Amino acid sequence: MAGVNRDQKGGKKDDTGLGTAIDFVLSNAKLVLGVGGAAMLGIATLAVKKMYDRAISAPTSPTKMEQGGQRSWEEPSWMGSSPRVLSQDMKATVSRSLQTLPSTSAAHCFEPESMRRAAGRSGGAGAAAQTHLLRARMRLSLQEHLWAFYRETVHIPEEEQASARRAALDICAELRVFLHAKLPDMPLREMYLSGSLYDDLQVVTADHAQLMVPMVLEKNLWSQVPGEDTIMNVPGFWLVRRENLEYFPRGSSYWDRCMVGGYLSPTAVLALFSGLVAGSINWPAIGSVLDYVIRPAVPSSDTLALEVQYEADRRLRVDVLPLLAMEDGGSLIAKPHRLAAERHGNLWRQSFRAAATARLRALDQADAGCRCACLKLAKAVCKRNAALQRLDAGQLTNALLLLSEAEEGGDWTRAALADHFLQLLRALVGHLEAGRLPCALNPRVNLFCELQEAEVDELGYTLYCALSDPEGLLRTAGAEDPQH
């Protein structure tokens, strides 16, 4: 009672031993459990602490209860106890999520398994039946919101996609004519267009395409070396080594001009094509003929792109990607390692996009599944949410493939979309906590290897908070403008 009296007089509760212990555990949980574990421990322990606080501060009369009203979630003290871990933006994200947590029945849908088991033991069969009913209602509500978001935001009308494809084809034709006329001796295969615009997996707006430029290398002059077989040990990346220099000196191959330290440099290849595409072609004149506005994108060391305005309110980005064919039918693209370009500037990136997309489609066709719809929902959420834009389509596709392998024989019909969307969020949190997302086609490749530690933390917290309010994640995605 003394603690209650002090609370009534001074407006602040006495710091109990339990509260101190909880705050200490939460402030240090990230160091021991990682992103996902700390977040889950924080939510669960906060709920227990809230019940304890309500118990010791219960009003003594019905009048006081009516005056006080329902208590809201407050920002817990552990939010500011570890400044090394949480940035200001991440604090705000977690705080907003905690304040929107369901306070009663809805919270059971996302509470930890240990708390659900405890509730089941205490309530018996009746409580279990009620919990099952509440979960079903929540899933139905989320299912409706997901399909509404899909129809209103994710899906792109066929007419818009067709217009974007025509614009991309016009750009491809103009570039092909220029290169054949200007550099007839450049050893290239036929260019082609690729990307999600041609797989019916583009979301929100038809705003980007990939123009693939296959290069031809002499087999006796160049060899491909896996990244894991080099001192750099980077699976998923390859070196292209110049061979037989003693018999075929520098200059024997057209691509010797892009050789750096005895290896074909993707950065040098990009610089070569950038000089041609951005510096030699009169795009304003071509645009006036096509009734487009065409200009090279802001130059970068790892990208080459054109920005096309083909209608008054429609724009398209065309990425020009030089690539090399592999013996197994795969391809290496000239896109250097993001975090180690200065040390691994000669590494070519292996592309798994075509094979992973084909496998996802085959799985959907086999069981009339909703994997592609789930992928498009996740892509749209990440595209329109600034905190999630570091997650790309390849990572999301592979996370879904791994989830399908783990649930072989499970229900992937359209009726199970909400369940699998939540499973995908949980799986991504788990992969981020581990710091590793294996490629479904080559488990040695870590698709998270280019994420920085701060990015992993922010993604982990944002996705975990989304588990407590997935419909709020859709509202946030629907409110933000897409970033290009």
Side-chain angles (χ1 to χ4, degrees):
M1 291 299 298
V4 175
N5 293 335
R6 281 195 299 270
D7 181 47
Q8 295 171 347
K9 294 178 182 179
K12 183 177 180 181
K13 294 179 186 179
D14 185 27
D15 188 13
T16 65
L18 176 61
T20 303
I22 289 176
D23 289 340
F24 175 79
V25 170
L26 289 174
S27 64
N28 293 276
K30 174 66 166 56
L31 302 177
V32 179
L33 302 178
V35 172
M40 181 171 290
L41 179 62
I43 300 295
T45 313
L46 183 62
V48 175
K49 185 179 178 183
K50 178 63 66 176
M51 290 187 291
Y52 177 81
D53 289 343
R54 288 180 179 177
I56 65 174
S57 60
T60 57
S61 69
T63 303
K64 291 183 179 181
M65 173 65 78
E66 294 172 1
Q67 292 174 351
Q70 184 178 2
R71 298 183 62 181
S72 63
W73 287 86
E74 301 173 358
E75 180 171 328
S77 60
W78 59 271
M79 289 291 292
S81 61
S82 184
R84 185 181 66 84
V85 174
L86 292 177
S87 66
Q88 292 298 324
D89 291 341
M90 292 165 65
K91 289 180 182 179
T93 300
V94 177
S95 179
R96 287 195 302 270
S97 179
L98 288 176
Q99 292 177 15
T100 57
L101 276 173
S103 59
T104 55
S105 61
H108 294 289
C109 292
F110 302 105
E111 64 190 6
E113 185 66 26
S114 59
M115 295 182 68
R116 291 198 295 267
R117 287 198 299 266
R121 285 195 300 268
S122 63
Q130 183 180 10
T131 300
H132 179 75
L133 179 60
L134 291 172
R135 289 178 183 172
R137 289 177 178 172
M138 287 294 295
R139 284 196 299 269
L140 180 60
S141 175
L142 178 58
Q143 182 93 348
E144 293 171 349
H145 280 81
L146 286 172
W147 283 119
F149 182 73
Y150 186 93
R151 291 189 301 268
E152 298 166 5
T153 304
V154 177
H155 178 69
I156 304 174
E158 181 56 37
E159 179 273 332
E160 181 181 345
Q161 296 187 58
S163 297
R165 293 190 192 106
R166 284 194 298 270
L169 185 60
D170 290 338
I171 298 299
C172 179
E174 293 295 336
L175 185 56
R176 182 190 298 116
V177 169
F178 171 82
L179 290 178
H180 286 173
K182 182 79 172 179
L183 299 167
D185 59 335
M186 178 181 281
L188 298 175
R189 291 191 175 91
E190 197 67 20
M191 302 179 205
Y192 62 93
L193 290 160
S194 181
S196 59
L197 184 60
Y198 297 88
D199 298 326
D200 192 29
L201 291 175
Q202 197 149 126
V203 297
V204 184
T205 55
D207 58 6
H208 61 279
Q210 296 175 344
L211 175 55
M212 315 305 290
V213 185
M215 302 162 51
V216 178
L217 299 181
E218 300 86 350
K219 290 186 177 181
N220 63 323
L221 299 185
W222 302 93
S223 64
Q224 298 173 357
V225 183
E228 58 266 35
D229 292 346
T230 69
I231 192 173
M232 292 173 285
N233 190 26
V234 188
F237 291 82
W238 293 64
L239 289 172
V240 180
R241 184 171 56 204
R242 180 65 156 86
E243 304 287 359
N244 298 323
L245 277 170
E246 62 275 18
Y247 303 109
F248 302 94
R250 189 181 183 112
S252 301
S253 171
Y254 181 92
W255 301 109
D256 281 344
R257 67 195 68 194
C258 299
M259 184 170 61
V260 176
Y263 296 92
L264 184 63
S265 168
T267 304
V269 170
L270 283 172
L272 173 65
F273 278 97
S274 180
L276 296 171
V277 174
S280 301
I281 303 179
N282 189 352
W283 288 113
I286 294 174
S288 64
V289 174
L290 298 173
D291 197 22
Y292 298 161
V293 176
I294 309 173
R295 59 178 177 270
V298 177
S300 172
S301 61
D302 60 349
T303 58
L304 171 59
L306 295 169
E307 295 177 348
V308 184
Q309 181 179 346
Y310 59 96
E311 292 183 14
D313 58 344
R314 291 180 178 177
R315 290 173 172 80
L316 178 71
R317 177 186 174 96
V318 180
D319 292 316
V320 182
L321 290 176
L323 65 90
L324 303 172
M326 302 176 67
E327 293 181 356
D328 62 357
S331 59
L332 304 176
I333 59 176
K335 188 175 181 182
H337 195 288
R338 173 178 169 241
L339 299 182
E342 67 282 357
R343 295 188 293 110
H344 302 333
N346 287 339
L347 288 173
W348 290 70
R349 182 186 303 268
Q350 185 174 357
S351 174
F352 298 98
R353 191 199 65 80
T357 301
R359 178 177 291 189
L360 195 72
R361 287 194 175 282
L363 290 171
D364 266 1
Q365 291 173 0
D367 59 8
C370 63
R371 297 172 186 83
C372 288
C374 190
L375 172 62
K376 294 172 76 171
L377 284 165
K379 287 176 63 175
V381 166
C382 293
K383 181 175 184 178
R384 300 180 68 93
N385 189 316
L388 297 177
Q389 286 177 3
R390 277 299 175 194
L391 288 176
D392 60 35
Q395 294 162 344
L396 297 173
T397 302
N398 278 271
L400 265 173
L401 288 174
L402 294 173
L403 192 59
S404 296
E405 293 176 1
E407 296 189 357
E408 187 175 357
D411 179 14
W412 281 90
T413 60
R414 292 168 61 92
L417 177 63
D419 288 337
H420 291 304
F421 183 77
L422 290 174
Q423 287 175 352
L424 177 60
L425 296 184
R426 294 189 190 100
L428 287 169
V429 170
H431 291 305
L432 287 164
E433 181 184 1
R436 177 174 176 78
L437 173 60
C439 175
L441 305 177
N442 183 355
R444 293 176 298 178
V445 177
N446 178 17
L447 298 177
F448 282 164
C449 69
E450 295 176 273
L451 290 177
Q452 297 177 344
E453 183 178 354
E455 294 169 342
V456 170
D457 284 344
E458 183 175 16
L459 288 169
Y461 274 105
T462 303
L463 289 172
Y464 184 85
C465 292
L467 283 172
S468 66
D469 184 18
E471 295 175 12
L473 182 64
L474 300 182
R475 289 191 297 271
T476 301
E480 294 188 14
D481 292 328
Q483 304 293 320
H484 302 296

